[in-house]
Amino acid sequence: MVYNSDDSDRIKNVFRHGGWTFRTERSHILGTDGHYSWKRELNCFQGQSLPDAIFHRNSLEIYHNETGVRIRFCALEALRGWASLDLDPVKAADASSDHWRHRMKITPSVDYDYTYTTLYPGGTDMVLKSDDEEGTLNYLDADSSSFVAKRVINNSPQFGPARLRKPICKCKGDGGRAPFVQRTKVRQSTVQGVSNGAFDSQNHQNSIITPKWKTNTKEGTVDIEGMIRKYPRPICYEIVDLYEDDLHDNGTCFLKAKVYVTEAGWAGLLRFFVRVDGVMARVLDTRFQHYFGDRHVLRERSWREGSWEDFVGGDRNSTADTRPNISLEAANDSMAAKVLKLKRPVTIESLSLEPPQCYSRKYLGAADMKASWHLQSQCLHIKAMSTRITCPVPEVNFGIAILSINDEGKYIEALPPTDDTSVLLTNSLCSLWKKSSNTLNDPEHNTISNFLSLYISPDMNDGGRLVLGDDKGLGHVWRLSNGEPLFDFPVVSKAVRDRYSKSNVVSARLWVEHVVWSRDGELVGAAAGRSAVLVSARNGQILSTLESSEGSITDLAFRNHSLAIASYGIIQFLVGSDKSNVCTAKVFKRGNASVQCLHISPDGNCVAVGFLDKTLRVIQMNGKSNESQAESVISAIDWVGFNAPVKLVRFSNIGTWIAAMGGSSILVVPVDLDPQVEAPILCRTYGETASDGCDGTCQRFTSFMWSSLPEKENILVALDVSSKIHIFDVTKAVQAWPKRAFPLLDT
């Protein structure tokens, strides 16, 4: 069945057979204004171009009517895969033969992958439509959700600051991105009680678990050729162009999606092909196959590549033309798929076609009293963070669930477990112990202090301990079980404290806003203004000190027994021991970028840094345990795409995941992720981004925390600006680029 939409240049095809719906849409290519917007969406730098012909409204959907599983293909998600793959450019300029120089119209001199190679395998989600005739196409629109991984050049601390990448294209609007092309209105589907509106096509994720492709070992292989030989006359055959480019008349590249439907089943092919004339050829195939009646779909992914000689034969550098008599028209993608060798092993995966599974309170841990209360406790804690300083107590030791400092910093109290958020927010919960900030009075300077920061030691022996920072340049270690003071230590030098106390001037130089414990509870770190100290938790001895020359200190984190200190464009490490008071600084620099937050993985091998310029840097370390030796950086990657500064970054409980918060986005990246091959995970509230790349109806986040239970490490609890709590399971994301995780519960 073929029909025209309201837009006269959009043509749709819908074909149904064997319990499946095959839907295609074709339209014109993206215009000049659209190119500017897509370049901004894809975080392109100045001078970086996109394919000449992008069919931005073209799509192919293969939809299973019974289960709601949808396999989909579009240009935008494919180009996100290209941007993250970030291949080195083909060295066309290295061709040395006179024959080559004569053929070249121009000599490419770009420093990015101008062939637009992508490992995008298509998207997979689950859509329960009210009718089978028309799906939802919001995934075709630029929506400020493109996250691109850029390899950092010359990132070793021994060589000073990293060389900055080219600046991102400046064709931006008020929200930091170019105004998007006006969205094409598409009919929304109603999903089991969910009303029509923005992103209703994905609102079902609130209750439906999206299926995943799994490495196949039993279901067989993909044999499209065998299906075509057996069924040479398809009952439906569609080809959808997604993008193409002629490489300035020096070759060709394209991405196409095809579907071939027979009486017995269907086959799909997503093919990327590039030919740089006289240099090389490359073909990446994602092949799908399904026989009606089976409860699975097979997917095969391959990458074939070779030189020009591998492709058509002959010697490129010979003075004579030794190539066989093959026209460029014959040197096509079909030939490349036959003659080129595999660059990577073929992978075969299967997708199970099972009835939709719904999330339940049992799934979230409600059937387990410990997990259920733990989740409630986390929601309570993060809710309270909107009005006060709070810190949860691991495993509810000593009957204490949360330590809380009131909004004026006048007192700290230990609170028992409760599932009523309003009780904590209204100060109507009976505390186990309560201490006033008057106990922090400095008799030497006759001043009254207030609490500013709080951190609980992971070591719960001997009643546990906590560290407090005040607004007079001092740190305080107390016993957790009863609030007994153990010892104090100076964070700011006595000379600085004397100067401000005598003048009665309130200065941020004295505000101890950052305190942290080492993972074994042996060391304490604290910072105020430009000053930082490393302290022994046994006796309060100062082991190392640092005065930052790069501005105020913005965050602290421990890597084993070294204290990482973040400030403007720099991270320094303090190393100390009970025998030495030597300060050793190992420096990471990034020019013109203010560090906003910092966290280090539990094993100390990965450092995550959030910046004011809306960038997350992930640094892989070599894992040396000897702190006195210079440690080298294995690799560093910048994640670009946030719509606000990255204000918070945290590793999950055992270090499987990294999460970074910036504006209306929380980006989640597995620590072992290869960003060239696999997409990251994007957590957002329901809604629609604004046309200039701002938040729109998506809420901005103010904080988040991972579950501290190892068995629930994948659960993330986030708080937005309206004090609403959103609970995400990062393993249950829509399989797109990037993967999309939507809240399981909103409270």
Side-chain angles (χ1 to χ4, degrees), residues 344-360:
R344 300 184 181 184
V346 174
T347 59
I348 300 179
E349 303 161 297
S350 64
L351 180 70
S352 179
L353 299 174
E354 300 296 336
Q357 297 180 359
C358 295
Y359 291 110
S360 63

Side-chain angles (χ1 to χ4, degrees), residues 17 27 57 113 434 440 488 588 702:
H17 185 73
S27 186
R57 299 304 305 176
D113 176 27
K434 186 173 182 178
L440 303 181
D488 304 333
F588 297 82
T702 58

Side-chain angles (χ1 to χ4, degrees), residues 669-716:
V669 181
V671 172
D672 59 355
L673 176 79
D674 182 352
Q676 293 185 313
V677 178
E678 189 176 354
I681 301 165
L682 174 60
C683 298
R684 270 191 180 160
T685 66
Y686 296 118
E688 183 175 359
T689 51
S691 60
D692 64 351
C694 290
D695 310 298
T697 58
C698 293
Q699 292 293 323
R700 288 203 168 207
F701 295 106
T702 58
S703 185
F704 73 85
M705 61 187 304
W706 288 102
S707 169
S708 60
L709 295 179
E711 63 272 20
K712 295 295 181 182
E713 187 192 21
N714 52 299
I715 300 297
L716 185 147

Side-chain angles (χ1 to χ4, degrees), residues 63-64 66-72 123-129 136 191 200-205 207-212 351-358 733-735:
Y63 175 73
H64 190 233
E66 177 187 351
T67 62
V69 171
R70 176 175 67 175
I71 303 171
R72 70 196 198 195
T124 306
D125 60 0
M126 187 169 286
V127 178
L128 305 183
K129 304 176 186 176
T136 54
V191 184
D200 279 350
S201 61
Q202 287 132 345
N203 278 353
H204 70 283
Q205 297 302 325
S207 58
I208 304 300
I209 297 177
T210 300
K212 286 187 175 181
L351 180 70
S352 179
L353 299 174
E354 300 296 336
Q357 297 180 359
C358 295
V734 174
Q735 303 298 296

Side-chain angles (χ1 to χ4, degrees), residues 51 53 78-79 82 85 87 90 113-120 240-247 250-258 269-286 302-308 310-312 326-341:
L79 287 173
W82 156 73
L85 186 57
L87 290 179
V90 175
D113 176 27
Y114 60 87
T115 67
Y116 307 107
T117 302
T118 178
L119 279 170
Y120 170 64
V240 178
D241 297 310
L242 298 180
Y243 63 76
E244 62 183 61
D245 193 280
D246 65 1
L247 310 184
N250 294 301
T252 186
C253 73
F254 63 74
L255 180 68
K256 295 183 179 182
K258 304 179 182 181
L269 173 64
L270 179 68
R271 170 166 289 178
F272 170 82
F273 170 68
V274 60
R275 183 192 74 227
V276 182
D277 295 341
V279 182
M280 56 82 69
R282 177 186 295 150
V283 60
L284 281 71
D285 280 350
T286 305
S302 63
W303 181 327
R304 298 179 183 274
E305 184 173 327
S307 66
W308 190 252
D310 297 331
F311 186 33
V312 301
I326 297 177
S327 67
L328 290 180
E329 288 73 18
N332 56 23
D333 59 302
S334 298
M335 178 179 172
K338 293 177 182 177
V339 304
L340 295 181
K341 295 181 180 179

